[in-house]
Amino acid sequence: MLTTLSKGSTIPILTITAAIIVFWYACVVWLNAPFERDQAERANAEITFSQILSKTMEQKRPVLPAPHQVIVEIWNTTVMKNVTSKRSLVYHAWITLSSTLLGFAFGTLLGIALAVGIVHSQTLDKSLMPWIITSQTIPILAIAPMIIVVLNAVGIQGLLPKAFISMYLSFFPVAVGMVKGLRSPDIMQLDLMHTYNASKAQLFWKLRWPSSIPFLFTSLKVAIAASLVGAIVGELPTGAISGLGARLLAGSYYGQTIQIWSALFMAAFLAATLVWLVGVIDRRVLKQMGMAQ
Amino acid sequence: MNKTEKMTTPVIQTDKLSLTFETNDGPVHALSDIDLTINEGEFVSFIGPSGCGKTTLLRVIADLEQPTGGEITVEGGTPREARLNRAYGYVFQAAGLYPWRTIEKNIALPLEVMGLSKQEQQERIARNLALVDLDGFEKKYPWQLSGGMQQRASIARALAVEPDMLLMDEPFGALDEIVRDHLNEQLLLLWAKTKKTVVFVTHSIPEAVFLSTRIVVMSPRPGRIHEIIDCDLGDERPLEIRETTKFLEIAHQVREGLRLGHSYDE
Ligand SMILES: Nc1ncnc2c1ncn2[C@@H]1O[C@H](COP(=O)(O)OP(=O)(O)O)[C@@H](O)[C@H]1O
Ligand SMILES: [Mg+2]
């Protein structure tokens, strides 16, 4: 990010950001004004446009909160709160993050295991692949409650059911990417190993696995974002009291739009950070392996 | 063993060897009735237009392709036995070095597969890198080397197995002419030093004449041997030998063979 900024794209980025903010404020006025006009009408009071303008920016439960309201809310619920407090957004983000990471780890392992099976066995290739693809055509919102209820019934609660949903979403890109990666060595490279009379295990560890690493990291960037979505979705049907999903749900119950938007921003920030982190590790590993020039 | 005796021990023998690929467009007769004997210590080149089965023949010798007719023995046994004995080192047109391994680690690859000790690996790496003039490049990654150097590293990798034979499929085909000349000279020196049997695929007439003791001229559809030409230019072959009458005579003979082989089916 720093490098893109320093490469002379600062001005375009700032211009777009400014345009979005202006557009946002315009929408704030437009969406929140009817409420103010209503209020004025009920009180039989005259209201000027400039009054409407200022009032739309400080409603308690606006249809659309103004950017500064969201920023103040985020400030108040992060920096100004103890992180162990139930009112701290950092606390809720941490809850969601922990099931995201757990689900991501499960999903990565499952995805790799499936890919290894598929690459080594034609039977698995034929029998598993259709199921893997089908699994992703079912909307996660439809399965999430089922998973939670079933796991609850067998006594699994808390972090695990949510991580399970993250896994459900994140194993797919890893499996697909790794099948492609493990199959990426060309015929010449396979023939070369054949002339050495290499065993299947040697072929895997010395050729297939290292060849697949760039594919793995590309998939991991998709998978980590999917894991976060899974964790948030997993918090919705449980009636969870903590986590970003719970904040979203509670916010919508009580019409706390500012809370919803700050949870949204926190989720977006978390997603961006996680994807960025995977990217950093990606570059590190490839450099370590000698593949980045 | 003295030299004359050595030159007459057959290492590769084929008898009516044929290979037909069954494809969706019908059978492709890649090899038909190949009768060929290659003796120990020889440098034999296969030359011919593309599609005449040079690669296929080399791959049959290497047990990478199974013949559909005739007989072939490699070092007295089947090609498979020869492969399992690691009788040959195979060099492809592309160097095919692993980008995640340094040059020394690339050369260690077959040695790791063979399960050699670390010390034995180190010795062989050093010896073979010196042989292809790459000492000092152990810790470099492939992308840090030029195309010619990469191909030399891949030759060192093939040699590290310490095979009796080198099977080379247009190893210098992708390189420019200056680098190619240089590598041809080096390959001859290497051959003189190691006394290995070399089977070399090319479609360059000067390259074949410069390197070989015998040249197998092949022709396409079906892939077959048109003519085998002796190339007795002696052991001392400086680059300038390419301007001598003898060299040009043999080159002319090869060119005629290629022309006749080609017009055969037109
Ligand atoms: N795996 C294969 N399947 C089908 N046809 C093949 C295969 N490999 C080679 N061929 C065909 O066999 C013929 C000889 O190929 P090849 O040995 O590669 O020729 P060369 O190396 O002389 O250019 C060609 O017509 C080629 O298309
Ligand atoms: Mg070829």
Side-chain angles (χ1 to χ4, degrees):
Chain A
M1 245 158 78
L2 282 177
T3 50
T4 48
L5 282 181
S6 64
K7 271 182 191 156
S9 48
T10 323
I11 305 237
I13 288 177
L14 290 181
T15 314
I16 298 284
T17 313
I20 291 173
I21 291 175
V22 167
F23 178 71
W24 188 347
Y25 271 109
C27 288
V28 167
V29 175
W30 175 53
L31 289 169
N32 297 341
F35 174 80
E36 295 302 338
R37 284 209 200 88
D38 238 33
Q39 291 291 93
E41 212 167 287
R42 263 182 228 175
N44 263 332
E46 278 294 312
I47 188 163
T48 65
F49 182 69
S50 66
Q51 279 173 314
I52 290 183
L53 210 60
S54 67
K55 284 191 175 202
T56 53
M57 313 242 168
E58 49 205 36
Q59 292 179 2
K60 270 196 99 106
R61 292 174 186 185
V63 176
L64 179 68
H68 67 264
Q69 288 179 295
V70 177
I71 290 169
V72 169
E73 166 78 4
I74 291 178
W75 175 266
N76 285 339
T77 52
T78 54
V79 183
M80 304 303 283
K81 287 274 186 317
N82 199 325
V83 291
T84 53
S85 154
K86 290 262 189 311
R87 286 159 178 265
S88 161
L89 201 52
V90 177
Y91 165 78
H92 291 284
W94 165 249
I95 297 289
T96 303
L97 179 66
S98 52
S99 55
T100 300
L101 292 180
L102 191 63
F104 174 68
F106 285 164
T108 303
L109 292 179
L110 178 63
I112 292 174
L114 286 172
V116 170
I118 285 168
V119 168
H120 284 93
S121 147
Q122 270 209 325
T123 329
L124 284 183
D125 186 11
K126 291 231 169 69
S127 57
L128 276 181
M129 218 42 189
W131 285 106
I132 291 177
I133 291 166
T134 311
S135 77
Q136 301 301 305
T137 61
I138 307 169
I140 188 63
L141 275 171
I143 320 190
M146 261 164 24
I147 295 179
I148 305 272
V149 169
V150 168
L151 288 182
N152 254 327
V154 296
I156 301 174
Q157 285 171 332
L159 203 59
L160 273 179
K162 291 195 286 172
F164 203 81
I165 293 166
S166 287
M167 175 184 85
Y168 186 91
L169 288 186
S170 62
F171 89 90
F172 181 72
V174 177
V176 172
M178 281 304 276
V179 165
K180 206 170 165 210
L182 292 172
R183 284 192 177 144
S184 65
D186 58 30
I187 294 184
M188 194 197 84
Q189 289 177 310
L190 295 170
D191 279 346
L192 188 65
M193 287 303 257
H194 190 62
T195 68
Y196 300 151
N197 191 29
S199 67
K200 276 212 155 178
Q202 287 171 325
L203 185 64
F204 181 81
W205 289 114
K206 292 185 192 299
L207 179 59
R208 290 193 189 277
W209 177 254
S211 308
S212 71
I213 297 301
F215 293 81
L216 175 64
F217 277 102
T218 308
S219 319
L220 289 185
K221 281 180 217 165
V222 181
I224 191 105
S227 284
L228 182 64
V229 171
I232 291 173
V233 168
E235 284 161 353
L236 299 180
T238 41
I241 42 167
S242 46
L244 292 177
R247 290 288 279 189
L248 289 174
L249 203 62
S252 66
Y253 276 157
Y254 304 112
Q256 299 286 1
T257 43
I258 302 179
Q259 179 184 324
I260 295 179
W261 279 86
S262 44
L264 275 180
F265 269 78
M266 191 51 140
F269 169 75
L270 214 56
T273 310
L274 289 173
V275 171
W276 171 78
L277 214 63
V278 174
V280 169
I281 298 171
D282 179 13
R283 281 189 294 277
R284 278 273 172 85
V285 169
L286 289 193
K287 193 156 187 213
Q288 185 77 34
M289 287 176 79
M291 289 204 274
Q293 313 202 348
Chain B
M1 209 188 283
N2 69 43
K3 191 161 179 182
T4 40
E5 194 182 338
K6 201 175 176 181
M7 288 297 255
T8 52
T9 318
V11 279
I12 299 168
Q13 270 182 305
T14 74
D15 180 26
K16 300 236 168 306
L17 183 77
S18 303
L19 196 158
T20 306
F21 289 110
E22 295 300 336
T23 68
N24 292 334
D25 305 333
V28 175
H29 302 284
L31 296 174
S32 151
D33 287 340
I34 303 287
D35 289 325
L36 178 68
T37 300
I38 296 175
N39 294 316
E40 194 172 346
E42 270 196 292
F43 196 124
V44 175
S45 289
F46 300 162
I47 193 166
S50 81
C52 71
K54 307 180 293 291
T55 297
T56 307
L57 182 51
L58 202 66
R59 288 172 62 86
V60 170
I61 297 170
D63 189 40
L64 292 173
E65 216 72 79
Q66 301 308 315
T68 50
E71 299 290 328
I72 176 168
T73 59
V74 180
E75 295 199 326
T78 63
R80 182 180 151 77
E81 284 162 356
R83 176 172 65 84
L84 297 189
N85 289 334
R86 300 191 169 96
Y88 66 82
Y90 202 104
V91 180
F92 295 85
Q93 176 163 2
L97 302 171
Y98 289 1
W100 57 86
R101 283 176 175 247
T102 57
I103 296 305
E104 63 175 355
K105 286 285 174 200
N106 264 290
I107 295 172
L109 175 70
L111 310 178
E112 290 170 13
V113 172
M114 291 163 74
L116 298 185
S117 72
K118 276 270 174 289
Q119 198 199 335
E120 175 76 23
Q121 289 184 23
Q122 277 312 319
E123 282 170 18
R124 289 200 188 188
I125 290 166
R127 194 167 349 122
N128 289 292
L129 275 181
L131 217 48
V132 297
D133 235 354
L134 274 182
D135 14 20
F137 290 90
E138 290 83 356
K139 307 284 181 211
K140 295 268 189 267
Y141 281 98
W143 58 269
Q144 295 172 300
L145 269 61
S146 70
M149 287 159 97
Q150 289 187 24
Q151 196 52 286
R152 263 147 62 197
S154 97
I155 293 171
R157 180 180 59 187
L159 288 171
V161 178
E162 301 195 340
D164 302 328
M165 289 184 280
L166 269 186
L167 307 180
M168 309 176 90
D169 190 358
E170 303 195 29
F172 310 137
L175 304 174
D176 64 59
E177 201 160 323
I178 298 166
V179 177
R180 193 178 181 140
D181 279 351
H182 180 62
L183 291 186
N184 280 342
E185 269 185 301
Q186 282 198 320
L187 182 59
L188 271 189
L189 289 176
L190 198 87
W191 177 64
K193 255 189 266 179
T194 58
K195 300 275 177 255
K196 292 193 193 301
T197 311
V198 181
V199 186
F200 189 93
V201 172
T202 179
H203 52 230
S204 153
I205 297 174
E207 187 172 65
V209 179
F210 181 67
L211 293 171
S212 317
T213 55
R214 275 197 304 155
I215 300 169
V216 177
V217 179
M218 297 178 68
S219 57
R221 286 176 299 269
R224 62 200 183 279
I225 295 178
H226 174 74
E227 189 182 4
I228 299 179
I229 297 169
D230 278 321
C231 186
D232 41 6
L233 290 172
D235 285 348
E236 283 294 313
R237 299 187 188 191
L239 275 178
E240 300 76 54
I241 203 170
R242 296 183 301 183
E243 270 104 61
T244 62
T245 332
K246 177 91 186 168
F247 185 98
L248 294 173
E249 259 172 36
I250 299 173
H252 175 76
Q253 210 180 337
V254 174
R255 187 168 291 113
E256 278 300 294
L258 285 172
R259 205 171 59 80
L260 287 172
H262 212 52
S263 62
Y264 207 77
D265 62 345
E266 273 157 11

